[in-house]
Coordinates of all heavy atoms in Angstrom, one line a residue:
Chain B
E1244 N -16.2 -11.9 9.5 CA -15.4 -10.9 10.2 C -14.9 -9.8 9.2 O -14.6 -10.1 8.1 CB -14.3 -11.6 10.9 CG -13.6 -10.7 11.9 CD -12.4 -11.4 12.7 OE1 -12.1 -12.5 12.3 OE2 -11.9 -10.8 13.6
H1245 N -14.7 -8.6 9.7 CA -14.2 -7.4 9.0 C -15.2 -6.8 8.0 O -14.8 -5.9 7.2 CB -12.9 -7.7 8.2 CG -11.9 -8.5 9.0 ND1 -11.3 -8.1 10.1 CD2 -11.4 -9.8 8.8 CE1 -10.5 -9.0 10.6 NE2 -10.5 -10.1 9.8
H1246 N -16.4 -7.3 7.9 CA -17.4 -6.9 6.9 C -18.6 -6.1 7.5 O -19.5 -5.8 6.8 CB -17.9 -8.0 6.1 CG -16.9 -8.6 5.2 ND1 -15.8 -9.3 5.7 CD2 -16.7 -8.7 3.8 CE1 -15.0 -9.7 4.6 NE2 -15.6 -9.4 3.5
Q1247 N -18.5 -5.8 8.8 CA -19.7 -5.2 9.5 C -19.4 -4.1 10.5 O -20.2 -3.8 11.3 CB -20.5 -6.3 10.2 CG -20.9 -7.5 9.3 CD -22.3 -8.0 9.7 OE1 -23.3 -7.4 9.3 NE2 -22.3 -9.1 10.4
E1248 N -18.2 -3.5 10.3 CA -17.7 -2.6 11.4 C -18.1 -1.2 11.1 O -18.6 -0.8 10.0 CB -16.2 -2.7 11.5 CG -15.7 -4.1 11.8 CD -14.2 -4.3 11.8 OE1 -13.5 -3.3 11.7 OE2 -13.7 -5.4 11.9
S1249 N -18.0 -0.4 12.2 CA -18.3 1.0 12.2 C -17.1 1.8 12.6 O -17.0 2.1 13.8 CB -19.5 1.3 13.1 OG -20.7 0.7 12.6
P1250 N -16.2 2.2 11.7 CA -14.9 2.8 12.1 C -15.0 4.3 12.2 O -13.9 4.9 12.2 CB -14.0 2.3 10.9 CG -14.9 2.3 9.7 CD -16.3 1.9 10.2
E1251 N -16.1 4.9 12.3 CA -16.2 6.4 12.1 C -15.4 7.2 13.1 O -14.9 8.2 12.8 CB -17.6 6.9 12.1 CG -18.5 6.5 13.4 CD -19.3 5.3 13.2 OE1 -18.8 4.3 12.5 OE2 -20.4 5.2 13.7
A1252 N -15.2 6.6 14.4 CA -14.6 7.4 15.4 C -13.1 7.7 15.0 O -12.6 8.8 15.3 CB -14.6 6.7 16.7
Y1253 N -12.4 6.8 14.4 CA -11.0 7.0 14.0 C -10.9 8.2 13.1 O -10.0 9.0 13.2 CB -10.5 5.8 13.2 CG -10.4 4.5 14.0 CD1 -11.3 3.4 13.6 CD2 -9.5 4.3 15.0 CE1 -11.3 2.2 14.3 CE2 -9.5 3.1 15.7 CZ -10.4 2.1 15.3 OH -10.3 0.9 16.0
F1254 N -11.8 8.4 12.2 CA -11.7 9.4 11.2 C -12.3 10.8 11.8 O -11.8 11.8 11.5 CB -12.4 9.0 9.9 CG -11.8 7.7 9.4 CD1 -12.6 6.6 9.4 CD2 -10.5 7.6 9.0 CE1 -12.0 5.4 9.0 CE2 -9.9 6.4 8.6 CZ -10.7 5.3 8.6
A1255 N -13.4 10.7 12.6 CA -13.9 11.9 13.2 C -12.9 12.5 14.2 O -12.9 13.7 14.5 CB -15.2 11.5 13.9
H1256 N -12.0 11.6 14.7 CA -11.0 12.1 15.6 C -9.8 12.8 14.9 O -9.0 13.4 15.6 CB -10.5 10.9 16.4 CG -9.6 11.2 17.5 ND1 -10.0 11.8 18.7 CD2 -8.2 11.0 17.7 CE1 -9.0 12.0 19.5 NE2 -7.9 11.5 19.0
T1257 N -9.8 12.7 13.6 CA -8.6 13.2 12.8 C -8.9 14.5 12.2 O -9.8 14.6 11.3 CB -8.2 12.2 11.8 OG1 -8.0 10.9 12.4 CG2 -7.0 12.6 11.0
A1258 N -8.2 15.6 12.6 CA -8.4 16.9 12.0 C -8.0 16.8 10.6 O -7.0 16.1 10.2 CB -7.5 17.9 12.8
G1259 N -8.7 17.6 9.8 CA -8.4 17.6 8.3 C -9.3 16.8 7.5 O -9.4 16.9 6.3
L1260 N -10.0 15.8 8.2 CA -11.0 15.0 7.5 C -12.4 15.5 7.8 O -12.7 16.1 8.9 CB -10.9 13.5 7.9 CG -9.6 12.8 7.7 CD1 -9.7 11.4 8.3 CD2 -9.3 12.7 6.2
R1261 N -13.3 15.3 6.9 CA -14.7 15.4 7.1 C -15.3 14.0 7.1 O -14.9 13.2 6.3 CB -15.4 16.4 6.1 CG -14.9 17.8 6.2 CD -15.3 18.6 5.0 NE -14.7 20.0 5.0 CZ -15.3 21.0 5.6 NH1 -16.5 20.9 6.2 NH2 -14.7 22.2 5.6
V1262 N -16.4 13.8 7.9 CA -16.9 12.5 7.9 C -18.5 12.6 7.8 O -19.0 13.3 8.7 CB -16.6 11.7 9.2 CG1 -17.1 10.3 9.2 CG2 -15.0 11.7 9.4
V1263 N -19.1 12.0 6.9 CA -20.5 12.0 6.7 C -21.1 10.6 6.5 O -20.4 9.7 6.1 CB -21.0 13.0 5.6 CG1 -20.4 14.4 5.8 CG2 -20.5 12.4 4.2
A1264 N -22.4 10.5 6.8 CA -23.1 9.2 6.6 C -24.5 9.5 6.3 O -25.3 9.9 7.2 CB -23.0 8.4 7.9
P1265 N -25.0 9.2 5.1 CA -26.4 9.4 4.7 C -27.2 8.3 5.3 O -26.7 7.2 5.5 CB -26.4 9.4 3.2 CG -25.2 8.5 2.8 CD -24.2 8.8 3.9
A1266 N -28.5 8.5 5.5 CA -29.4 7.5 6.1 C -30.4 7.1 5.1 O -31.2 6.1 5.3 CB -30.0 8.0 7.4
T1267 N -30.6 7.9 4.0 CA -31.7 7.7 3.1 C -31.2 7.8 1.6 O -30.1 8.4 1.4 CB -32.8 8.8 3.3 OG1 -32.2 10.1 2.9 CG2 -33.3 8.9 4.7
P1268 N -31.9 7.3 0.7 CA -31.5 7.4 -0.7 C -31.4 8.9 -1.1 O -30.5 9.2 -1.9 CB -32.7 6.7 -1.5 CG -33.1 5.7 -0.5 CD -33.1 6.3 0.8
H1269 N -32.3 9.7 -0.7 CA -32.3 11.1 -1.0 C -31.0 11.8 -0.6 O -30.3 12.4 -1.4 CB -33.5 11.9 -0.4 CG -33.4 13.4 -0.7 ND1 -33.9 13.9 -1.8 CD2 -32.9 14.4 0.1 CE1 -33.6 15.3 -1.8 NE2 -33.1 15.5 -0.6
D1270 N -30.6 11.6 0.7 CA -29.4 12.1 1.2 C -28.2 11.5 0.5 O -27.2 12.2 0.2 CB -29.3 11.9 2.7 CG -30.0 13.1 3.5 OD1 -30.4 14.1 2.8 OD2 -30.1 12.9 4.7
A1271 N -28.2 10.2 0.2 CA -27.1 9.6 -0.5 C -26.9 10.3 -1.8 O -25.7 10.6 -2.2 CB -27.4 8.1 -0.6
Y1272 N -27.9 10.5 -2.6 CA -27.8 11.1 -3.9 C -27.2 12.5 -3.8 O -26.3 12.8 -4.6 CB -29.2 11.2 -4.5 CG -29.2 11.9 -5.9 CD1 -28.8 11.3 -7.0 CD2 -29.7 13.2 -6.0 CE1 -28.8 11.9 -8.2 CE2 -29.7 13.9 -7.2 CZ -29.2 13.2 -8.3 OH -29.2 13.9 -9.5
W1273 N -27.6 13.3 -2.9 CA -27.1 14.6 -2.8 C -25.7 14.7 -2.1 O -24.9 15.5 -2.5 CB -28.1 15.6 -2.2 CG -29.2 15.8 -3.1 CD1 -30.5 15.3 -3.0 CD2 -29.2 16.7 -4.3 NE1 -31.2 15.8 -4.1 CE2 -30.5 16.6 -4.9 CE3 -28.2 17.4 -4.9 CZ2 -30.8 17.3 -6.1 CZ3 -28.5 18.1 -6.1 CH2 -29.8 18.0 -6.6
M1274 N -25.6 14.0 -1.0 CA -24.4 14.1 -0.2 C -23.2 13.6 -0.9 O -22.1 14.2 -0.7 CB -24.6 13.4 1.2 CG -25.6 14.1 2.1 SD -26.0 13.2 3.6 CE -24.5 13.2 4.5
I1275 N -23.3 12.6 -1.8 CA -22.1 12.2 -2.5 C -21.7 13.3 -3.5 O -20.5 13.5 -3.6 CB -22.3 10.8 -3.2 CG1 -21.0 10.2 -3.7 CG2 -23.3 10.9 -4.3 CD1 -20.0 9.9 -2.7
Q1276 N -22.6 13.9 -4.1 CA -22.2 15.0 -5.0 C -21.6 16.2 -4.2 O -20.6 16.8 -4.7 CB -23.5 15.5 -5.8 CG -24.0 14.4 -6.7 CD -25.2 14.9 -7.5 OE1 -25.1 15.8 -8.3 NE2 -26.4 14.4 -7.2
E1277 N -22.2 16.5 -3.1 CA -21.6 17.6 -2.3 C -20.2 17.3 -1.8 O -19.3 18.2 -1.7 CB -22.6 18.0 -1.2 CG -23.9 18.6 -1.7 CD -25.1 18.5 -0.7 OE1 -24.9 17.9 0.4 OE2 -26.1 19.0 -1.0
A1278 N -20.1 16.0 -1.4 CA -18.7 15.6 -0.9 C -17.7 15.8 -2.0 O -16.6 16.2 -1.7 CB -18.8 14.2 -0.3
I1279 N -18.1 15.4 -3.2 CA -17.1 15.4 -4.3 C -16.8 16.9 -4.7 O -15.7 17.2 -5.0 CB -17.7 14.6 -5.5 CG1 -17.7 13.1 -5.1 CG2 -16.8 14.9 -6.7 CD1 -18.5 12.3 -6.1
A1280 N -17.9 17.7 -4.6 CA -17.7 19.1 -5.0 C -16.9 19.9 -4.0 O -16.3 21.0 -4.4 CB -19.1 19.7 -5.3
G1281 N -16.9 19.5 -2.8 CA -16.1 20.2 -1.7 C -14.6 20.1 -2.0 O -14.2 19.3 -2.8
N1282 N -13.9 20.9 -1.2 CA -12.4 21.0 -1.5 C -11.6 20.3 -0.4 O -10.4 20.4 -0.4 CB -12.0 22.4 -1.6 CG -12.6 23.1 -2.8 OD1 -12.4 22.6 -3.9 ND2 -13.3 24.1 -2.6
D1283 N -12.3 19.6 0.5 CA -11.6 18.8 1.6 C -11.7 17.3 1.4 O -12.7 16.9 0.8 CB -12.1 19.3 2.9 CG -11.7 20.7 3.2 OD1 -10.5 21.1 3.1 OD2 -12.6 21.5 3.6
P1284 N -10.9 16.6 2.1 CA -11.1 15.1 2.1 C -12.3 14.8 2.9 O -12.6 15.3 3.9 CB -9.8 14.6 2.9 CG -8.9 15.7 2.9 CD -9.6 17.0 2.8
V1285 N -13.1 13.8 2.4 CA -14.3 13.4 3.0 C -14.3 11.8 3.2 O -14.1 11.1 2.2 CB -15.6 13.8 2.3 CG1 -16.8 13.3 3.0 CG2 -15.6 15.3 2.1
V1286 N -14.5 11.4 4.4 CA -14.8 9.9 4.6 C -16.3 9.8 4.5 O -17.0 10.3 5.3 CB -14.2 9.4 5.9 CG1 -14.7 8.0 6.2 CG2 -12.7 9.5 5.9
F1287 N -16.7 9.0 3.5 CA -18.2 9.0 3.2 C -18.6 7.6 3.5 O -18.4 6.6 2.8 CB -18.4 9.2 1.7 CG -19.8 9.5 1.3 CD1 -20.3 10.8 1.2 CD2 -20.6 8.4 0.9 CE1 -21.6 11.0 0.8 CE2 -21.9 8.7 0.5 CZ -22.4 9.9 0.5
L1288 N -19.4 7.5 4.6 CA -19.8 6.2 5.2 C -21.2 5.8 4.6 O -22.1 6.5 4.8 CB -19.8 6.2 6.7 CG -18.4 6.4 7.3 CD1 -18.6 6.9 8.8 CD2 -17.6 5.2 7.2
E1289 N -21.2 4.6 4.0 CA -22.5 4.2 3.4 C -23.1 3.0 4.2 O -22.4 2.0 4.3 CB -22.3 3.8 1.9 CG -21.7 4.9 1.1 CD -21.3 4.5 -0.3 OE1 -21.4 3.3 -0.7 OE2 -20.7 5.4 -1.0
P1290 N -24.2 3.2 4.8 CA -24.8 2.1 5.7 C -25.3 1.0 4.7 O -26.3 1.1 4.1 CB -25.9 2.8 6.4 CG -26.3 4.0 5.5 CD -25.1 4.4 4.8
K1291 N -24.5 0.0 4.7 CA -24.7 -1.0 3.6 C -26.0 -1.8 3.8 O -26.6 -2.2 2.8 CB -23.5 -2.0 3.5 CG -23.2 -2.8 4.7 CD -22.1 -3.8 4.5 CE -20.8 -3.4 5.0 NZ -20.6 -3.5 6.4
S1292 N -26.5 -1.8 5.1 CA -27.8 -2.5 5.3 C -28.9 -1.7 4.7 O -30.1 -2.2 4.6 CB -28.0 -2.8 6.8 OG -28.2 -1.6 7.5
R1293 N -28.6 -0.4 4.4 CA -29.7 0.4 3.8 C -29.5 0.6 2.3 O -30.2 1.4 1.7 CB -29.7 1.8 4.5 CG -29.8 1.8 6.0 CD -31.1 1.2 6.5 NE -32.3 1.9 6.0 CZ -33.5 1.4 6.2 NH1 -33.7 0.3 6.8 NH2 -34.6 2.1 5.7
Y1294 N -28.6 -0.2 1.7 CA -28.4 -0.1 0.2 C -29.7 -0.4 -0.5 O -29.9 0.2 -1.6 CB -27.3 -1.0 -0.2 CG -25.9 -0.4 -0.2 CD1 -24.8 -1.3 0.0 CD2 -25.7 0.9 -0.4 CE1 -23.5 -0.8 0.0 CE2 -24.4 1.4 -0.4 CZ -23.3 0.6 -0.2 OH -22.0 1.1 -0.2
W1295 N -30.5 -1.4 0.0 CA -31.5 -1.9 -0.9 C -32.9 -1.5 -0.6 O -33.8 -1.5 -1.6 CB -31.4 -3.5 -0.9 CG -30.0 -3.9 -1.2 CD1 -29.2 -4.6 -0.4 CD2 -29.3 -3.6 -2.4 NE1 -27.9 -4.7 -1.0 CE2 -28.0 -4.1 -2.2 CE3 -29.6 -2.9 -3.6 CZ2 -27.0 -4.0 -3.2 CZ3 -28.6 -2.7 -4.5 CH2 -27.3 -3.3 -4.4
P1296 N -33.3 -1.0 0.6 CA -34.7 -0.4 0.7 C -34.8 0.8 -0.2 O -33.9 1.6 -0.3 CB -34.7 0.0 2.2 CG -33.7 -0.8 2.9 CD -32.6 -1.0 1.9
K1297 N -36.0 1.0 -0.8 CA -36.3 2.1 -1.6 C -36.8 3.3 -0.8 O -37.3 3.2 0.2 CB -37.3 1.7 -2.7 CG -36.7 0.8 -3.7 CD -37.7 0.6 -4.9 CE -37.0 -0.3 -6.0 NZ -37.9 -0.6 -7.1
G1298 N -36.5 4.5 -1.4 CA -37.0 5.7 -0.7 C -37.2 6.8 -1.8 O -36.7 6.6 -2.9
E1299 N -37.8 7.8 -1.4 CA -38.1 8.9 -2.4 C -36.8 9.8 -2.5 O -36.2 10.1 -1.5 CB -39.3 9.7 -1.9 CG -40.6 9.0 -2.1 CD -41.7 10.0 -2.2 OE1 -41.7 11.0 -1.6 OE2 -42.7 9.6 -2.9
V1300 N -36.5 10.2 -3.7 CA -35.4 11.1 -4.0 C -35.9 12.3 -4.8 O -36.5 12.1 -5.8 CB -34.3 10.4 -4.8 CG1 -33.1 11.3 -5.1 CG2 -33.7 9.2 -4.0
D1301 N -35.7 13.4 -4.2 CA -36.0 14.7 -5.0 C -34.8 15.1 -5.8 O -33.8 15.5 -5.2 CB -36.4 15.8 -4.0 CG -36.8 17.1 -4.7 OD1 -36.6 17.2 -5.9 OD2 -37.3 18.0 -4.0
L1302 N -34.9 14.9 -7.1 CA -33.7 15.1 -7.9 C -33.5 16.6 -8.2 O -32.5 17.0 -8.8 CB -33.9 14.4 -9.3 CG -33.9 12.8 -9.2 CD1 -34.3 12.2 -10.5 CD2 -32.6 12.3 -8.7
S1303 N -34.4 17.4 -7.7 CA -34.3 18.9 -8.0 C -33.6 19.7 -6.9 O -33.0 20.7 -7.2 CB -35.7 19.5 -8.3 OG -36.5 19.4 -7.1
A1304 N -33.6 19.2 -5.7 CA -33.0 20.0 -4.6 C -32.6 19.1 -3.4 O -33.3 18.1 -3.1 CB -34.0 21.0 -4.1
S1305 N -31.5 19.4 -2.8 CA -31.0 18.5 -1.7 C -31.7 18.8 -0.4 O -32.0 17.9 0.4 CB -29.5 18.7 -1.5 OG -29.2 19.7 -0.5
G1306 N -32.0 20.1 -0.2 CA -32.8 20.5 1.0 C -32.0 20.6 2.3 O -32.5 21.1 3.3
A1307 N -30.7 20.3 2.3 CA -29.9 20.5 3.5 C -28.4 20.5 3.0 O -28.0 19.8 2.1 CB -30.1 19.3 4.4
A1308 N -27.6 21.3 3.8 CA -26.2 21.3 3.5 C -25.5 20.0 3.9 O -26.1 19.3 4.7 CB -25.6 22.5 4.3
L1309 N -24.4 19.8 3.4 CA -23.7 18.5 3.6 C -23.5 18.2 5.1 O -23.7 17.1 5.5 CB -22.3 18.5 2.9 CG -21.5 17.2 3.1 CD1 -22.1 16.0 2.5 CD2 -20.1 17.4 2.5
H1310 N -23.2 19.2 5.9 CA -22.9 19.0 7.3 C -24.0 19.3 8.2 O -23.8 19.5 9.4 CB -21.6 19.7 7.6 CG -20.4 19.2 6.9 ND1 -19.9 17.9 7.2 CD2 -19.6 19.7 5.9 CE1 -18.8 17.7 6.4 NE2 -18.7 18.8 5.6
A1311 N -25.2 19.5 7.7 CA -26.3 19.8 8.6 C -26.9 18.5 9.2 O -27.1 17.5 8.5 CB -27.4 20.5 7.8
S1312 N -27.2 18.6 10.5 CA -28.0 17.5 11.0 C -29.5 17.9 10.9 O -29.8 19.1 10.6 CB -27.7 17.3 12.5 OG -27.9 18.4 13.3
R1313 N -30.4 16.9 11.1 CA -31.8 17.3 10.7 C -32.8 16.5 11.6 O -32.6 15.3 11.8 CB -32.0 16.8 9.2 CG -33.3 17.3 8.7 CD -33.3 17.4 7.2 NE -32.9 16.1 6.5 CZ -32.7 16.0 5.2 NH1 -32.8 17.1 4.4 NH2 -32.4 14.9 4.7
V1314 N -33.8 17.2 12.0 CA -34.9 16.5 12.8 C -35.8 15.8 11.8 O -36.3 16.4 10.9 CB -35.7 17.6 13.6 CG1 -36.9 16.9 14.3 CG2 -34.8 18.2 14.7
V1315 N -35.9 14.5 11.9 CA -36.7 13.7 10.9 C -38.0 13.2 11.5 O -38.8 12.7 10.8 CB -35.8 12.6 10.4 CG1 -34.7 13.1 9.5 CG2 -35.3 11.6 11.5
R1316 N -38.2 13.4 12.8 CA -39.5 13.2 13.4 C -39.6 14.1 14.6 O -38.7 14.2 15.5 CB -39.6 11.7 13.9 CG -41.0 11.4 14.5 CD -41.0 10.0 15.1 NE -42.2 9.7 15.9 CZ -43.2 8.9 15.5 NH1 -43.1 8.2 14.4 NH2 -44.2 8.8 16.3
R1317 N -40.7 14.8 14.7 CA -40.9 15.7 15.8 C -41.5 15.0 17.0 O -42.2 14.0 16.9 CB -42.0 16.8 15.4 CG -41.4 17.8 14.4 CD -40.5 18.8 15.1 NE -39.8 19.7 14.2 CZ -38.9 20.5 14.6 NH1 -38.4 20.5 15.8 NH2 -38.3 21.2 13.7
G1318 N -41.1 15.4 18.2 CA -41.5 14.8 19.5 C -41.3 15.8 20.6 O -40.6 16.8 20.4
T1319 N -41.7 15.4 21.8 CA -41.6 16.4 22.9 C -41.0 15.8 24.2 O -40.6 16.6 25.1 CB -43.1 16.9 23.3 OG1 -43.9 15.8 23.5 CG2 -43.6 17.7 22.2
D1320 N -40.9 14.5 24.3 CA -40.5 13.9 25.5 C -39.0 13.5 25.6 O -38.4 13.5 26.7 CB -41.3 12.6 25.8 CG -42.8 13.0 25.9 OD1 -43.1 14.1 26.3 OD2 -43.6 12.1 25.6
V1321 N -38.4 13.1 24.5 CA -37.1 12.7 24.5 C -36.5 12.8 23.1 O -37.3 12.7 22.1 CB -37.0 11.2 24.9 CG1 -37.8 10.3 24.0 CG2 -35.5 10.7 25.0
T1322 N -35.2 13.1 23.0 CA -34.5 13.3 21.7 C -33.7 12.0 21.4 O -32.8 11.7 22.2 CB -33.7 14.5 21.6 OG1 -34.5 15.7 22.0 CG2 -33.0 14.7 20.3
L1323 N -34.0 11.4 20.3 CA -33.2 10.2 19.9 C -32.2 10.7 18.7 O -32.7 11.3 17.8 CB -34.1 9.1 19.4 CG -35.2 8.7 20.3 CD1 -36.0 7.5 19.7 CD2 -34.6 8.2 21.7
I1324 N -30.9 10.4 18.9 CA -29.9 10.9 18.0 C -29.2 9.7 17.4 O -28.7 8.9 18.1 CB -29.0 11.9 18.7 CG1 -29.7 13.0 19.4 CG2 -27.9 12.4 17.7 CD1 -29.0 13.7 20.5
G1325 N -29.0 9.7 16.1 CA -28.2 8.7 15.4 C -27.9 9.0 14.0 O -28.2 10.0 13.5
H1326 N -27.2 8.0 13.3 CA -26.8 8.2 12.0 C -26.8 6.9 11.2 O -26.9 5.8 11.8 CB -25.4 8.9 11.9 CG -24.3 8.1 12.5 ND1 -24.0 8.1 13.8 CD2 -23.4 7.2 11.9 CE1 -23.0 7.2 14.1 NE2 -22.6 6.7 12.9
G1327 N -26.8 7.0 9.9 CA -26.7 5.8 9.1 C -27.9 4.9 9.3 O -29.0 5.4 9.4

Side-chain angles (χ1 to χ4, degrees):
Chain B
E1244 194 181 6
H1245 315 298
H1246 292 68
Q1247 305 218 77
E1248 299 176 8
S1249 295
E1251 57 264 34
Y1253 298 110
F1254 305 113
H1256 189 67
T1257 302
L1260 300 177
R1261 295 170 184 271
V1262 184
V1263 301
T1267 65
H1269 175 84
D1270 274 350
Y1272 175 77
W1273 286 107
M1274 288 170 72
I1275 190 65
Q1276 295 180 68
E1277 289 157 358
I1279 293 168
N1282 294 302
D1283 291 313
V1285 179
V1286 173
F1287 193 92
L1288 296 163
E1289 300 171 3
K1291 65 175 95 77
S1292 65
R1293 304 300 301 172
Y1294 270 152
W1295 307 118
K1297 289 186 174 177
E1299 287 203 330
V1300 177
D1301 181 349
L1302 297 172
S1303 64
S1305 92
L1309 178 63
H1310 294 292
S1312 61
R1313 189 156 59 186
V1314 174
V1315 293
R1316 179 188 171 108
R1317 286 285 171 189
T1319 54
D1320 299 331
V1321 60
T1322 303
L1323 308 180
I1324 303 159
H1326 63 275

